[in-house]
Amino acid sequence: MIAKSFPDEMGTWDVHDPTIVHDAAGFTMFSTDTRRADQNHATRGIQRRHSSDLVRWSDAGTALNGIPADAEEWSHAGGLWAPEVVPYAAGYRLYYAASTFGSQRSAIGLATSPSLSDTFTPQGIVLRTDGVTDQRNALDPNVVIDGNKEWLCYGSFFAGIYLVELNPATGFLKDPGDVGHRIAARPRALNNGSIEGPFIYHSPVTDDYYLFASYDSLSHSYNIRVGRAKTITGPYLDYHGNSMIALDPERANYSGTKILGSRHFAGEHQQLLAPGHCSVLDLGTTQYLVYHNRLQPGGRPFGMVSQLHWTTEGWPVVSPNHVHSVASGHPVLPNAIPGDWDVVTFTDSTDVIESQSISVTPDMVQTSGSEGCVLAGVGSGAVWQEYDWSVQKERVVFSGLTSEGWGVLAKRQV
């Protein structure tokens, strides 16, 4: 059912590394150039889709007319990757990565447009790496507007994730010679330091900065981890207070608070594998995690949008479901929580986690506020009711963290 419901009905097949921008016309999703089923070659110029409801998406062509010449000459890229789109005084700035798989000869470029629907005009290269001068990689741009300052968060395998200040007036580096400083990394012994796809979100509620990143291999073992900091420059720490710069191979798999990985709920037709390269869509009172998944290792990617919720300790946790409508979740009464649940509890393993059936009794339930919930022996997080595509009706769901700091997703059986 998931294979039919999500990518086919939603129009999100071939979405990789997505981000969503909201304006008066609706929602625009930008994503990496990939091969599409109706074409015999990959797109060139950043895929673009439009939606009025955040659920069903229609093709809107590419954001650029091909690969900018300077980026193609430097990187020999066959397509553009990992778009980031942010507003500025004259419209929108689109940042993109140009590279080839496994290479550190990469570039982050900038293009601008007066609107989300117009064609973006290339403005030049913001940052480039060669893999010789040092081990940084100019990939996966994320731009953070923080008061009157702007920052570029970037990086990938090899040297990890960096943060460098931008000039808000131009969108280019404030200091052309500055490469920034490292805020997250993994040891080279683990698949060349497998961390990428950074995204920094500032919560006005907690006043903390949250660094989301994807660990391991994008084709089969991707998983999403989070660290938080009091200032945008870090240090970013996980649930246990450990730095996101984790260079000890014996401990690196435990760094970062893992909120989403490969999972399968009992009775559902498909597994959901390798979630990763996420961004956060903030609509004020509601936040959504925007990311891609696969149905099989190395399989065709597709985009998903799932509502974010927050634990009482200020950690983000993500819905187990694809959104059904904007702000579709509803609070539930405590007496609707006890019963039999299917629970997915993540660990350091990148294997698919199968759900386990757990009976929740009234004495195991402790609630606070409209969503806050502790399920004894399961975790602490949020409980609410929302539409579940796998059963095609609403059900009670839970997202949280275990006492050991691992993400947990649960659905009350129906």
Side-chain angles (χ1 to χ4, degrees):
M1 284 183 284
I2 289 177
K4 180 179 180 181
S5 297
F6 287 172
D8 293 319
E9 187 173 345
M10 302 306 109
T12 59
W13 273 122
D14 308 309
V15 167
H16 205 274
D17 313 329
T19 189
I20 297 174
V21 185
H22 181 233
D23 67 359
F27 301 94
T28 305
M29 178 188 290
F30 298 85
S31 60
T32 283
D33 285 319
T34 61
R35 186 183 302 275
R36 301 185 62 164
D38 58 348
Q39 301 172 337
N40 58 10
H41 57 79
T43 55
R44 289 168 60 90
I46 297 296
Q47 293 183 17
R48 183 166 53 182
R49 291 168 174 80
H50 187 265
S51 174
S52 61
D53 60 6
L54 200 60
V55 182
R56 292 167 176 83
W57 299 86
S58 59
D59 180 41
T62 56
L64 293 94
N65 289 325
I67 303 172
D70 51 0
E72 187 171 19
E73 180 181 1
W74 175 260
S75 67
H76 308 294
L80 301 177
W81 300 347
E84 168 76 312
V85 180
V86 293
Y88 80 116
Y92 292 90
R93 288 172 174 153
L94 184 155
Y95 293 81
Y96 59 83
S99 189
T100 56
F101 194 79
S103 172
Q104 292 166 264
R105 190 173 179 85
S106 310
I108 291 173
L110 171 64
T112 59
S113 172
S115 75
L116 296 173
S117 58
D118 288 325
T119 299
F120 283 74
T121 301
Q123 300 298 327
I125 293 178
V126 177
L127 184 72
R128 69 183 81 201
T129 54
D130 57 18
V132 176
T133 305
D134 56 42
Q135 291 300 301
R136 291 174 302 111
N137 204 0
L139 290 183
D140 300 349
N142 163 233
V143 173
V144 189
I145 300 173
D146 186 41
N148 60 359
K149 290 187 176 183
E150 293 188 13
W151 302 82
L152 173 66
C153 185
Y154 73 96
S156 184
F157 286 44
F158 307 108
I161 307 303
Y162 280 72
L163 185 71
V164 62
E165 192 169 353
L166 296 174
N167 180 338
T170 66
F172 288 85
L173 296 180
K174 181 180 180 181
D175 176 358
D178 189 10
V179 302
H181 72 281
R182 187 162 63 172
I183 58 174
R186 304 185 77 207
R188 289 290 298 270
L190 294 179
N191 192 19
N192 281 323
S194 52
I195 183 173
E196 58 186 3
F199 189 93
I200 294 176
Y201 171 72
H202 175 252
S203 169
V205 176
T206 66
D207 200 27
D208 286 338
Y209 296 83
Y210 295 84
L211 172 62
F212 295 78
S214 297
Y215 283 29
D216 303 306
S217 170
L218 66 84
S219 65
H220 65 280
S221 59
Y222 244 14
N223 59 96
I224 297 173
R225 311 264 182 139
V226 182
R228 66 182 179 185
K230 291 298 181 183
T231 64
I232 192 170
T233 54
Y236 286 89
L237 308 178
D238 66 12
Y239 181 86
H240 294 289
N242 298 317
S243 173
M244 292 281 279
I245 301 176
L247 301 180
D248 179 0
E250 298 297 322
R251 296 295 306 166
N253 283 336
Y254 298 90
S255 72
T257 304
K258 183 177 178 180
I259 63 170
L260 196 61
S262 297
R263 67 273 187 207
H264 179 234
F265 282 93
E268 296 188 3
H269 179 61
Q270 293 282 0
Q271 301 171 333
L272 290 174
L273 305 182
H277 202 116
C278 67
S279 59
V280 175
L281 172 63
D282 189 351
L283 297 183
T285 58
T286 309
Q287 295 80 44
Y288 296 91
L289 195 71
V290 183
Y291 57 105
H292 67 251
N293 263 277
R294 287 175 165 82
L295 298 180
Q296 58 189 18
R300 193 177 173 192
F302 62 93
M304 285 186 67
V305 182
S306 301
Q307 191 170 342
L308 277 178
H309 296 259
W310 301 84
T311 72
T312 56
E313 294 178 311
W315 287 100
V317 292
V318 61
S319 166
N321 296 315
H322 183 87
V323 67
H324 183 252
S325 63
V326 175
S328 61
H330 311 289
V332 298
L333 296 175
N335 61 10
I337 300 174
D340 294 329
W341 287 71
D342 293 320
V343 180
V344 168
T345 304
F346 296 114
T347 68
D348 65 305
S349 173
T350 58
D351 293 338
V352 179
I353 304 298
E354 298 284 346
S355 67
Q356 302 296 314
S357 180
I358 295 177
S359 293
V360 174
T361 58
D363 62 299
M364 295 171 60
V365 179
Q366 179 182 340
T367 60
S368 61
S370 62
E371 288 185 352
C373 182
V374 176
L375 299 181
V378 177
S380 175
V383 63
W384 69 100
Q385 180 173 304
E386 68 178 7
Y387 187 88
D388 186 337
W389 292 94
S390 66
V391 294
Q392 299 184 2
K393 60 182 178 181
E394 291 203 347
R395 70 196 296 188
V396 179
V397 296
F398 172 86
S399 293
L401 297 174
T402 69
S403 58
E404 290 78 31
W406 297 107
V408 56
L409 309 178
K411 299 181 180 184
R412 193 179 187 280
Q413 295 175 10
V414 294

